[in-house]
Amino acid sequence: MNHPEIASSLMFKGMLEKNRTLEKNALAGKVRRFLPDEVWGVLREEAESEGLGILTLGMPETAFLQGASGPSQGLFVMECLVEAARNALRHEVPDCRPVALFTAGPTGAVMILAHPPGREAVLAKAYPDIRRKTLSAAAQQAFGPDEPSLPLAMGYSAIDIAPGHDRENMDRAALGAYLRAVRLGRENTAEMLDTRAKLHELFLTIMRDRLLQPVYQPIVDFAPGTVLGYEAFLRGPKDTPFHDPLVLLSFAESIGQVFALERLFFEMAVAGLGPMEPGQLLFINIHPASFTDPQFTPAGIPDYLGDHGLHPDNLVFEFTERQTAGDLDILQQKLELYRDKGIRVAMDDIGAGNMTLRALCRIRPDYIKADVSVIGGIQSNPFNRVMVETLVCLGEKIKGRVIAVGIESETELTSLASMGVQAGQGYYFSRPGFPKPVVTPHIPALASFSDVGRGELKCSTPVKNLIQETLVVGPATTIREVKKLLEDRPPMANVVIVDGKRPLGILMNYNLDRHLSTQFGLSLYSDRKVVKLMDRDPLVVEGDRPLEEVASLAMRREHRKIYDDILVTEGGAFFGTVSVQTMLDSMARVQVELAKGSNPLTGLAGNVAIEAEINRRSREGIPSSLIYVDLDNFKVYNDVYGFKSGDKAILLAAEVLREAVSHHGEPDDFIGHVGGDDFIIMCGQKQAEDICRLICRHFDAAAPDLYTSEDRARGFIVGRGRDGREGDFPLMSLSLGYLDCAFAHPFTMEELSGRVAEVKKYAKSRPGNSYVKDRRAPLGSVPSR
């Protein structure tokens, strides 16, 4: 085989100007062809069966041009370097042979090496000795024993080229190896080279013996409170420098082994995951450049996942975009090949400065991961809150879900959920571990302003019950004094300015910092009175106002003040402050307590919530109709057809009630499940009869489908009644009795229960689906004089 070599010094001279800017352009990503055509042909053949490496040889350009004899001396020194390198290689690693040689850079030569597969570790270990012998022999030959030598350099790197590489990918791999070798060649100390050689040997041992350890951290879906999936993290062997994944990845990148490392990690992360619940996901970090690796293709992934009980739908590739804008189109095209298989995409480190909005919109990731630098202390940092809210808004536009990374406290969790973040991970739930941690996430009560706007949060707790510690100052206090009080406190800390007992305003810490951080802020404001910068129009409420009202008022503030604390007074005198997040969390907890009585079968509100709703309507004086719904002949049906069929009958009744209320009712209407086959509806008095009529009609049409064709034809079933005697029982029907409640005058629950029992009894005395109304004066009417 004929290999291209440096035939004479004229070759260096002729290519000197052509290659002068190669390294500069290579670092800028502007080199389109690094390998000469004849070298590309050689590498294509050798890569089919051999491992490949690269040696760089060179000297500073000034030394090349300005030596004792000018460029001629420089060319002679380069020839000496090439010959000395060949001899050192022949002596130290006989099975490693030069297969190509060409010029690169202004004053450098590149030697391509081929060796049997798996010999990278041997070559890496021998490199310090090869370098020392090469540089010593070249200097001796070029300058003699007594002449001062020029500073010479020699570097080495493996070339990660797989069989089947096309010209573009081989050029990229060779250029990357060249730049790494050049950097290594500038490391001149023997101690540094020896350390690097040992690290290289350790790295290759890790790869050969598959000594990587994946660990997994759960990602929790906030809405159902379940594990959405797990993120796999890379760890090297313990008690080695490569246990730190950043060190391991950085070193792999420096020697051109990123692709190989990520391929191995992918295989081990999938193999070590273990059983997954249906629909759970595995998030695996991957460098965007790996999508150009010909050994990493979509074709083989489904089979590999299938061997471990997974499907492409379970896989999420997660990466940080670090490529240039020009490569974004290529990355997008590559990703579509994986998405066609069902694999999803997550973008990591959003908010840390690496990701551009353009990349997010182009890639349209399925998951947007907000960086830990944005999430930490989110409850007290208004600027980070704006960033997260922006991400949530963007996620809605591109149909991507936002995952918060680094959650460490319940307050951070509730703050994030209140802003619309859908999922999260962090030490609050679990640290990464192997095998994957099995967790039962505890999601505390969550609330948001949007819930308040929709009227979904109702809580009559007085706002004064949530009063927190407050810094109070007088109007004559200076900005300098306030700054000292708020020193080392979070951005959402504040001082309240009070004159006597009357609150004048509030100054949030983040607003204070905003004013003082301007060019002349300190000198301009430090000695001014605090009233100069305070918010003169804060939200001030009396302490006995219900939380739901205060939350509604807070929601209507201008956006920049929406998270500022609320001032609470008693009789006009300042009493304390309440934070928005504390108020929302408290309201959500109340809703959870009310929902604890929800029926597990129908999901309708239970007795605790029913009583709370009656009390609310009474307190607010809302005229209402109360409809009591009872399922006739249910017990016999349940005994004859079994409990599963009985559940279907209950669910049918609940659905019929929902449909009728949805069709004729108002948004504020209420449906409760008292228990068993009893239900209750509270609605407007004008709509009650229409609701009852529709319920009877729909249940009459649907109930026969719960029976066999024989029982439907007969119109009854044979069973035992409550007295134990056997008999014929009609098909199930609904009895509805309703009464009006004026809620203008107090009445007891005993009075209500008595009236309901009477009207219910009358309704059940009528055959089939029927409803009756209590014609007496509405309960809770103002007594007549």
Side-chain angles (χ1 to χ4, degrees):
M1 182 183 296
N2 294 321
H3 297 311
E5 298 183 1
I6 301 175
S8 70
S9 299
L10 293 177
M11 188 173 192
F12 273 118
K13 187 174 182 181
M15 297 186 69
L16 184 60
E17 289 302 321
K18 177 181 178 182
N19 291 313
R20 188 174 299 276
T21 59
L22 175 66
E23 185 172 2
K24 177 182 176 183
N25 288 338
L27 290 169
K30 297 178 181 177
V31 174
R32 304 188 70 84
R33 284 285 183 266
F34 172 67
L35 296 171
D37 290 341
E38 63 272 21
V39 174
W40 142 247
V42 171
L43 262 64
R44 181 175 54 185
E45 295 178 22
E46 297 289 351
E48 295 297 324
S49 58
E50 300 273 28
L52 296 174
I54 194 167
L55 280 183
T56 57
L57 304 161
M59 68 176 72
E61 186 174 353
T62 54
F64 182 90
L65 296 173
Q66 301 171 9
S69 303
S72 297
Q73 174 71 12
L75 293 171
F76 174 68
V77 172
M78 289 301 302
E79 291 178 339
C80 292
L81 263 175
V82 170
E83 188 60 31
R86 284 175 170 157
N87 292 333
L89 284 166
R90 193 180 303 117
H91 182 268
E92 296 295 328
V93 278
D95 57 356
C96 177
R97 54 196 174 84
V99 295
L101 183 66
F102 61 97
T103 57
T107 56
V110 175
M111 185 181 292
I112 305 295
L113 311 176
H115 54 76
R119 295 286 284 172
E120 292 89 354
V122 174
L123 188 54
K125 186 176 182 179
Y127 164 68
D129 287 338
I130 295 171
R131 181 180 187 275
R132 186 171 58 254
K133 290 181 178 180
T134 296
L135 299 185
S136 175
Q140 181 78 11
Q141 183 179 356
F143 308 113
D146 300 323
E147 294 292 327
S149 62
L150 293 174
L152 307 178
M154 175 179 177
Y156 163 75
S157 175
I159 307 177
D160 188 19
I161 296 182
H165 256 99
D166 58 21
R167 176 68 184 269
E168 181 182 352
N169 285 323
M170 188 170 284
D171 256 319
R172 184 183 290 113
L175 177 58
Y178 164 75
L179 295 176
R180 290 190 297 271
V182 168
R183 287 196 297 269
L184 181 61
R186 293 169 182 157
E187 298 175 355
N188 294 319
T189 68
E191 181 181 358
M192 184 181 297
L193 291 173
D194 185 56
T195 299
R196 188 173 184 84
K198 290 178 179 176
L199 287 174
H200 200 151
E201 184 179 12
L202 173 61
F203 178 88
L204 294 173
T205 300
I206 290 171
M207 298 293 290
R208 182 189 67 236
D209 297 339
R210 301 174 69 90
L211 300 179
L212 299 179
Q213 174 65 70
V215 293
Y216 307 91
Q217 186 176 45
I219 300 173
V220 175
D221 194 329
F222 293 163
T226 57
V227 175
L228 172 69
Y230 293 86
E231 179 176 355
F233 293 98
L234 174 65
R235 297 288 186 272
K238 289 185 177 180
D239 303 322
T240 73
F242 292 143
H243 183 64
D244 184 336
L246 294 179
V247 175
L248 182 59
L249 285 166
S250 176
F251 190 83
E253 194 168 12
S254 75
I255 61 172
Q257 292 290 309
V258 171
F259 294 169
L261 177 63
E262 292 204 333
R263 284 195 300 269
L264 178 59
F265 174 57
F266 173 79
E267 294 171 3
M268 298 188 71
V270 171
L273 182 62
M276 293 267 277
E277 296 293 330
Q280 285 186 336
L281 305 172
L282 172 61
F283 290 70
I284 295 184
N285 289 272
I286 185 168
H287 195 289
S290 293
F291 292 118
T292 64
D293 178 11
Q295 292 191 35
F296 192 84
T297 64
I301 288 180
D303 290 340
Y304 186 78
L305 292 172
D307 292 341
H308 295 87
L310 298 174
H311 186 270
D313 288 344
N314 299 117
L315 186 60
V316 181
F317 282 146
E318 176 179 320
F319 61 90
T320 299
E321 188 268 320
R322 296 186 181 90
Q323 293 184 319
T324 64
D327 290 329
L328 197 56
D329 291 335
I330 298 174
L331 177 61
Q332 189 177 6
Q333 294 169 10
K334 296 284 186 181
L335 284 175
E336 289 308 314
L337 299 176
Y338 293 90
R339 281 177 154 152
D340 288 343
K341 298 288 185 182
I343 297 169
R344 280 167 272 196
V345 174
M347 298 294 238
D348 197 9
D349 299 337
I350 307 300
N354 292 322
M355 181 58 56
T356 65
L357 287 178
R358 178 173 177 266
L360 276 172
C361 294
R362 291 289 298 279
I363 300 301
R364 302 177 75 87
D366 302 281
Y367 298 95
I368 301 171
K369 302 192 77 174
D371 187 67
V372 62
S373 62
V374 178
I375 301 307
I378 188 75
Q379 71 278 8
S380 60
N381 192 318
F383 308 109
N384 285 7
R385 293 180 80 109
V386 169
M387 186 178 296
V388 170
E389 288 169 344
T390 302
L391 284 178
V392 170
C393 182
L394 178 63
E396 292 174 352
K397 298 291 185 185
I398 65 175
K399 297 186 173 14
R401 303 185 71 196
V402 177
I403 299 175
V405 177
I407 301 173
E408 296 191 355
S409 69
E410 182 176 309
T411 307
E412 287 178 352
L413 169 60
T414 57
S415 297
L416 291 162
S418 73
M419 287 181 277
V421 174
Q422 293 98 343
Q425 64 189 101
Y427 290 172
Y428 177 76
F429 300 113
S430 173
R431 292 175 177 268
F434 182 87
K436 66 178 183 294
V438 178
V439 298
T440 303
H442 168 64
I443 306 297
L446 304 175
S448 70
F449 274 141
S450 59
D451 296 326
V452 176
R454 293 191 298 267
E456 294 181 4
L457 288 178
K458 295 178 170 62
C459 179
S460 58
T461 301
V463 68
K464 66 182 179 183
N465 290 1
L466 303 181
I467 289 296
Q468 59 195 19
E469 180 184 356
T470 306
L471 291 173
V472 177
V473 298
T477 308
T478 65
I479 297 294
R480 188 189 306 277
E481 292 170 323
V482 170
K483 179 61 179 171
K484 189 171 183 179
L485 283 173
L486 293 175
E487 212 165 33
D488 300 325
R489 289 181 175 250
M492 293 303 287
N494 58 73
V495 296
V496 178
I497 297 86
V498 177
D499 184 12
K501 294 184 177 182
R502 182 172 63 92
L504 300 179
I506 187 171
L507 179 57
M508 304 297 295
N509 199 12
Y510 72 87
N511 268 330
L512 176 61
D513 287 341
R514 180 169 59 87
H515 283 90
L516 296 184
S517 62
T518 59
Q519 185 175 3
F520 303 108
L522 283 172
S523 58
L524 184 62
Y525 293 113
S526 289
D527 294 318
R528 306 288 292 273
K529 300 294 187 286
V530 68
V531 292
K532 176 68 178 176
L533 296 184
M534 73 178 184
D535 176 9
R536 298 172 179 271
D537 187 30
L539 177 56
V540 182
V541 297
E542 278 290 298
D544 58 0
R545 293 193 75 166
L547 283 184
E548 62 183 282
E549 290 183 17
V550 178
S552 181
L553 291 171
M555 182 188 67
R556 294 198 291 267
R557 293 185 291 181
E558 56 185 297
H559 189 268
R560 67 183 180 85
K561 294 167 56 172
I562 202 166
Y563 291 110
D564 288 3
D565 282 4
I566 299 154
L567 277 60
V568 180
T569 58
E570 278 200 332
F574 178 68
F575 188 63
T577 61
V578 171
S579 77
V580 169
Q581 192 62 52
T582 299
M583 181 176 60
L584 291 175
D585 291 348
S586 178
M587 292 174 69
R589 280 192 291 271
V590 169
Q591 300 307 305
V592 170
E593 290 301 316
L594 290 176
K596 282 182 178 178
S598 296
N599 188 279
L601 176 61
T602 62
L604 295 174
N607 290 320
V608 174
I610 291 171
E611 185 171 345
E613 179 67 12
I614 293 172
N615 288 334
R616 183 184 75 86
R617 288 174 179 257
S618 176
R619 182 179 66 252
E620 296 177 12
I622 303 173
S624 307
S625 284
L626 188 151
I627 305 171
Y628 200 98
V629 184
D630 190 18
L631 196 53
D632 301 321
N633 301 314
F634 172 77
K635 180 185 181 304
V636 177
Y637 175 84
N638 199 51
D639 291 342
V640 173
Y641 279 81
F643 291 107
K644 287 189 177 180
S645 295
D647 287 346
K648 290 181 181 179
I650 296 294
L651 288 169
L652 173 61
E655 184 58 29
V656 167
L657 266 60
R658 286 191 180 99
E659 288 179 4
V661 171
S662 174
H663 189 75
H664 286 300
E666 299 291 337
D668 199 38
D669 290 347
F670 177 90
I671 308 174
H673 191 166
V674 179
D677 57 334
D678 293 337
F679 300 86
I680 195 169
I681 298 171
M682 280 177 272
C683 62
Q685 294 178 354
K686 292 182 180 179
Q687 294 82 32
E689 185 167 358
D690 290 337
I691 290 173
C692 291
R693 185 183 301 112
L694 191 58
I695 288 172
C696 290
R697 187 166 72 242
H698 281 185
F699 193 81
D700 184 66
D705 290 337
L706 297 170
Y707 294 82
T708 64
S709 56
E710 293 83 359
D711 287 342
R712 282 201 301 271
R714 283 198 306 264
F716 65 87
I717 59 175
V718 178
R720 295 183 181 275
R722 296 185 182 278
D723 57 3
R725 285 187 287 186
E726 191 174 278
D728 298 339
F729 293 85
L731 304 187
M732 282 184 293
S733 59
L734 292 178
S735 293
L736 290 74
Y738 73 98
L739 61 134
D740 290 337
C741 297
F743 290 125
H745 190 272
F747 59 86
T748 65
M749 292 302 292
E750 287 74 21
E751 291 178 87
L752 176 62
S753 299
R755 185 80 73 92
V756 166
E758 292 170 0
V759 70
K760 170 188 168 183
K761 182 177 180 180
Y762 183 70
K764 290 182 73 68
S765 68
R766 303 177 65 176
N769 293 284
S770 63
Y771 63 92
V772 297
K773 178 182 180 182
D774 187 337
R775 301 295 178 180
R776 289 172 287 186
L779 195 61
S781 300
V782 176
S784 57
R785 296 183 181 273

